[in-house]
Amino acid sequence: MSSSNRQGGSGGVEVRASHILIKHEGSRRKASWKDPEGRVIKNTTRENAVSQLKAFRDDIVSGKATFEDIASRFSDCSSAKRGGDLGPFGRGQMQKPFEEATFALNVGEISDIVDTDSGVHIIKRTK
């Protein structure tokens, strides 16, 4: 029997996603590839991080920018060098809010703001 690629459940179901992470003063690790000393991150409120992401999401949805371009330029995650691509992952591999949001998306969909201990994200499910 071949495994189906349905949402939910476990049993080896994997998704693939890209994300844009904006860290803020409440993030567990206040440094990133673009801010190694954490100077900007330590002075970014969660509200400011959320408004940055909302503006990025609006630009992506309206076609002014691509998800990959915004991720590669602005994401605080090292996945930025891959346009935000995290590769395939299954349940139990990501922080719970991130996992739940990703598995709830259809392929090609972009999430609303997702909060984790790492910061705030928008997620695009790619598989």
Side-chain angles (χ1 to χ4, degrees), residues 10-25:
S10 55
V13 175
E14 284 191 333
V15 294
R16 185 172 190 151
S18 297
H19 76 137
I20 299 166
L21 166 67
I22 303 295
K23 291 185 174 190
H24 54 78
E25 61 191 1

Side-chain angles (χ1 to χ4, degrees), residues 3-14 90-92 99 103:
S3 66
S4 67
N5 193 17
R6 69 188 191 293
Q7 292 180 9
S10 55
V13 175
E14 284 191 333
R91 294 212 178 260
E99 172 190 304
F103 274 83

Side-chain angles (χ1 to χ4, degrees), residues 17-24 27-36 41 53 56 67-87 89 94-95 98 116 118-123:
S18 297
H19 76 137
I20 299 166
L21 166 67
I22 303 295
K23 291 185 174 190
H24 54 78
S27 297
R28 67 175 176 200
R29 192 171 156 268
K30 294 171 186 61
S32 77
W33 67 273
K34 64 181 188 146
D35 186 13
I41 293 166
L53 274 183
F56 293 152
F67 193 97
E68 295 72 21
D69 181 51
I70 297 279
S72 63
R73 292 170 50 210
F74 299 106
S75 181
D76 280 313
C77 181
S78 60
S79 66
K81 61 180 167 279
R82 298 181 302 278
D85 183 20
L86 293 168
F89 59 90
M94 299 289 180
Q95 293 177 55
F98 191 96
T116 70
S118 299
V120 290
H121 316 249
I122 52 175
I123 305 162

